[in-house]
């Protein structure tokens, strides 16, 4: 292995380790937002819109954090409070926000079902 390929391998490994650390941090923060009897954190999905030019002002890369509310938490006023709670948990973790921004994310959305997403930031 030459120096150039070794440097590339080390750089690639560092990028993967950084992305894993961001994902673990996001999973930890999101899994602690609600008590288990209110909502369950399902996971997240990274979405990148290839059809939007990189130079466009429109968001290209965003993250969807996914939860499922329990049956007794489905009321619309409770849904609004739940979105606010998730968004505030994200905003309070400045390191996580910085890491997501450095990773190219323009926006974070919250989903509580398969039909609707609510933009956080």
């Amino acid at each position: 292995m030459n120096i150039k390929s070794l440097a590339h391998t080390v750089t690639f490994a560092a990028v993967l380790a950084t992305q894993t650390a961001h994902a673990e941090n996001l999973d930890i923060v999101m899994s602690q937002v609600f008590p288990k009897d209110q909502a369950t954190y399902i996971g997240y999905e990274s979405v990148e819109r290839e059809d939007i030019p990189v130079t466009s002002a429109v968001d290209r890369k965003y993250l969807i954090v996914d939860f499922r509310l329990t049956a007794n938490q489905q009321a619309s006023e409770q849904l609004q409070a739940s979105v606010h709670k998730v968004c505030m948990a994200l905003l309070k973790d400045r390191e996580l926000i910085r890491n997501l921004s450095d990773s190219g994310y323009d926006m974070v959305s919250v989903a509580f079902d398969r039909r609707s997403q609510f933009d956080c930031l």
Side-chain angles (χ1 to χ4, degrees):
M1 182 178 285
N2 65 30
I3 298 292
K4 187 175 182 179
S5 63
L6 178 62
H8 178 71
T9 302
V10 170
T11 301
F12 183 69
V15 167
L16 283 178
T18 301
Q19 289 175 345
T20 301
H22 300 324
E24 288 174 1
N25 191 22
L26 179 63
D27 285 337
I28 290 168
V29 170
M30 293 295 98
S31 65
Q32 297 172 351
V33 172
F34 296 103
K36 295 202 182 299
D37 63 337
Q38 287 184 1
T40 302
Y41 171 62
I42 303 298
Y44 66 91
E45 180 180 356
S46 178
V47 178
E48 187 164 357
R49 299 276 313 267
E50 298 292 332
D51 58 321
I52 298 174
V54 175
T55 56
S56 175
V58 177
D59 298 333
R60 279 181 42 97
K61 186 175 178 182
Y62 63 98
L63 201 65
I64 302 170
V65 290
D66 196 15
F67 292 86
R68 292 297 175 267
L69 294 172
T70 58
N72 62 348
Q73 297 291 320
Q74 297 283 345
S76 64
E77 58 274 353
Q78 184 61 40
L79 181 61
Q80 184 177 3
S82 297
V83 170
H84 178 74
K85 191 171 187 176
V86 172
C87 294
M88 291 310 296
L90 284 166
L91 288 170
K92 287 179 183 177
D93 193 326
R94 291 180 186 262
E95 181 181 350
L96 177 58
I97 294 298
R98 189 177 313 110
N99 291 338
L100 290 172
S101 180
D102 291 347
S103 296
Y105 289 99
D106 298 315
M107 183 176 64
V108 177
S109 294
V110 181
F112 289 97
D113 58 37
R114 296 193 180 273
R115 297 179 309 268
S116 307
Q117 295 175 8
F118 304 90
D119 296 343
C120 268
L121 44 123

